Amino acid sequence: MQTVFQYPNALTDVTTHYCPGCTHGVIHRLIAETIDELGIREKTIGIAPVGCSVFIYNYFDVDFAEAAHGRAPAMATGIKRVRPDRVVFTYQGDGDLAAIGTGEIMHAAARGENITVFFVNNAIYGMTGGQMAPTTLPGMKTTSSPNGRDVELQGYPLRMTEIMATMPGVSYAVRRSVHDPGNINKTKKAIKTALQVQLNQAGFAMVEILSSCPTNWGVTPTEALQFVKNQMIPYFPLGDFKIADVVKALR
Ligand SMILES: Cc1ncc(C[n+]2csc(CCOP(=O)(O)OP(=O)(O)O)c2C)c(N)n1
Ligand code: SF4
């Protein structure tokens, strides 16, 4: 009989704590499927962030370490330098990567560390109750910007992938989304490429993935996917912002 559904070996068979309609779970699955397909489960080490994905180590059947807020790139750097034979990835929200961890990610990228970063951008602090993040859209209401983000007062949202793409140490910097099946497939391909970059010692790779937070956006799961498409993508365009020659040679 043809197998049409299989649970990835790289995931544990437990129920996650994510809210209904949250796309953190979709992204977990794509990473797990890719780890299976590349046959790297036994040698992969993930770095857990703070934020809603803090319990990611319960959901993946791969080795994990837990970093303090924003410090995942530093921890990944240390682990990868000590064990260059391992595949090391961080999984970070926008609060983790683009607020308290901005310095960490910038310097890991500037050093061209041979690590893979999965950056989950839901434009908000999910876990702590929906406060404004550096990626919160202009005019977007959050618990700490109840009248909408005022760029005169709070500045403009950071486009982290574009910033990463300017750095000589970065080999691969792309933005994807998981708001519909076509984009889910494209995201999975980017996740695979990002891990292959590391497997080929080709340097720093980051995949930013636009994700939903129906709970803190105060909308239904379906409306949240529409918000990603209609509100987030215009400010955070999908695409390949840097594919270095060393990465092109792998394809
Ligand atoms: C040093 C430190 N400061 C603040 C916090 C509180 N904190 C935990 S999660 C979080 C926000 C995380 O948001 P994000 O990274 O966007 O992830 P999400 O929950 O949206 O997936 C904050 C501020 C902390 N854990 N450690
Ligand atoms: S609060 Fe938002 S990001 Fe966190 S699990 Fe719920 S929907 Fe997902």
Side-chain angles (χ1 to χ4, degrees):
M1 210 198 313
Q2 192 199 354
T3 304
V4 291
F5 177 85
Q6 210 166 14
Y7 210 74
N9 288 328
L11 284 184
T12 52
D13 192 0
V14 298
T15 304
T16 72
H17 73 288
Y18 296 118
C19 308
C22 176
T23 44
H24 264 305
V26 175
I27 299 165
H28 283 19
R29 185 176 170 109
L30 296 180
I31 296 171
E33 283 178 359
T34 309
I35 289 171
D36 283 1
E37 286 165 21
L38 292 171
I40 55 172
R41 191 173 73 86
E42 296 293 328
K43 65 172 185 173
T44 295
I45 302 174
I47 314 294
V50 304
C52 285
S53 48
V54 65
F55 294 135
I56 188 172
Y57 44 75
N58 289 331
Y59 308 143
F60 274 75
D61 196 4
V62 306
D63 287 335
F64 253 91
E66 167 70 60
H69 201 315
R71 308 308 182 235
M75 192 175 247
T77 297
I79 291 175
K80 183 71 184 182
R81 287 188 179 202
V82 172
R83 294 300 303 260
D85 57 316
R86 294 297 199 254
V87 178
V88 182
F89 74 90
T90 71
Y91 185 102
Q92 301 176 259
D94 43 78
D96 192 86
L97 182 141
I100 203 159
T102 325
E104 304 288 339
I105 197 70
M106 298 282 276
H107 288 287
R111 294 191 303 269
E113 298 293 341
N114 192 35
I115 59 172
T116 305
V117 174
F118 299 121
F119 169 39
V120 180
N121 178 1
N122 59 17
I124 207 160
Y125 278 26
M127 185 201 207
T128 47
Q131 296 90 349
M132 188 177 69
T135 48
T136 294
L137 299 172
M140 186 173 165
K141 289 185 179 169
T142 70
T143 52
S144 55
S145 59
N147 297 321
R149 182 182 189 145
D150 178 353
V151 295
E152 295 293 324
L153 215 57
Q154 291 131 349
Y156 289 88
L158 289 179
R159 294 187 177 103
M160 291 306 295
T161 302
E162 284 85 334
I163 294 170
M164 295 287 121
T166 65
M167 300 217 190
V170 172
S171 297
Y172 188 65
V174 304
R175 184 180 292 116
R176 299 289 185 266
S177 170
V178 287
H179 68 279
D180 64 23
N183 280 289
I184 288 173
N185 287 338
K186 285 183 192 164
T187 301
K188 182 165 172 195
K189 284 194 185 121
I191 287 169
K192 194 166 201 169
T193 303
L195 289 169
Q196 283 167 330
V197 168
Q198 183 178 162
L199 284 164
N200 286 277
Q201 283 80 47
F204 186 97
M206 184 171 104
V207 183
E208 174 177 345
I209 303 159
L210 303 185
S211 187
S212 67
C213 181
T215 300
N216 286 305
W217 295 350
V219 296
T220 66
T222 309
E223 287 165 348
L225 297 179
Q226 285 161 355
F227 184 86
V228 172
K229 182 180 173 196
N230 299 328
Q231 309 295 326
M232 284 185 78
I233 292 176
Y235 195 91
F236 298 112
L238 306 182
D240 299 340
F241 292 89
K242 181 160 187 190
I243 301 189
D245 289 343
V246 65
V247 177
K248 286 182 194 146
L250 304 176
R251 299 165 124 206

